[in-house]
Amino acid sequence: MLDNKLSTIEINGTTYPYKCDMVVLEKIQKEYGDLLRYEYGIRGLVPYFDENGARDAKKDKYITPDVGMTCRSVIWMIEEGIDIVGEDLTPPTEKEIKRQQDYTVNELAMMAFEEYANCFLSAMSKPKRSRKGTKKMYRKKKK
């Protein structure tokens, strides 16, 4: 049974727990060298810095999130979720994540970013909200 305190994600019909914590942050640092570089990558953010090195957010550009960063971090978060709950699940491979049709890269990146951002909040400061139906939350509503 999955732990209700962990987020879940459904990939190709299988529901997985996923969690970003310091174990996952360490993997991100080892892979990308810097957490901010990772954050920019999954957000699709190309920050603008002036000649003095100061960031000007008004001139930032947004592009498609980095597919490799997004997929690898989702796998690490799933691996951590499985390890925490002790489920007998095999995490999806990077190729399976890339081939799945449940989420767009933007939706996966947003889910990964939200879980990543939770690493920087204390348990007392986290908002109480349900992750059920997360997939639908990121789809644009048709008019």
Side-chain angles (χ1 to χ4, degrees):
M1 185 104 179
L2 298 178
D3 184 342
N4 289 333
K5 294 178 183 175
L6 296 182
S7 300
T8 59
I9 185 170
E10 187 173 324
I11 303 289
N12 298 326
T14 303
T15 301
Y16 299 96
Y18 71 105
K19 173 79 174 161
C20 185
D21 55 17
M22 286 194 277
V23 172
V24 176
L25 292 179
E26 182 179 39
K27 289 179 182 181
I28 291 168
Q29 281 183 320
K30 284 183 180 178
E31 181 74 18
Y32 304 110
D34 183 66
L35 293 176
L36 201 52
R37 178 175 171 227
Y38 164 77
E39 182 178 329
Y40 292 159
I42 64 169
R43 292 180 65 203
L45 173 63
V46 181
Y48 176 84
F49 296 95
D50 67 18
E51 62 278 354
N52 298 321
R55 182 169 166 216
D56 184 350
K58 292 179 183 177
K59 293 184 179 181
D60 287 350
K61 294 181 183 177
Y62 285 89
I63 59 173
T64 302
D66 185 296
V67 174
M69 269 186 197
T70 299
C71 293
R72 279 187 291 281
S73 64
V74 167
I75 291 168
W76 295 332
M77 291 177 195
I78 289 172
E79 289 171 343
E80 183 63 4
I82 290 170
D83 191 46
I84 289 169
V85 298
E87 287 285 320
D88 186 26
L89 287 170
T90 301
T93 64
E94 187 171 340
K95 195 175 274 190
E96 288 171 328
I97 295 279
K98 289 176 180 175
R99 289 181 174 164
Q100 60 78 34
Q101 296 182 351
D102 300 306
Y103 309 94
T104 66
V105 66
N106 289 329
E107 291 168 331
L108 275 177
M110 180 61 75
M111 293 166 72
F113 175 72
E114 284 185 353
E115 192 64 27
Y116 163 82
N118 281 335
C119 287
F120 301 98
L121 298 173
S122 70
M124 297 303 290
S125 65
K126 289 182 184 177
K128 306 291 185 232
R129 61 184 164 139
S130 172
R131 294 284 183 159
K132 194 169 188 170
T134 301
K135 178 174 112 173
K136 293 177 185 164
M137 190 168 71
Y138 296 107
R139 296 199 189 273
K140 288 187 177 182
K141 294 181 181 178
K142 293 182 182 178
K143 292 182 182 182

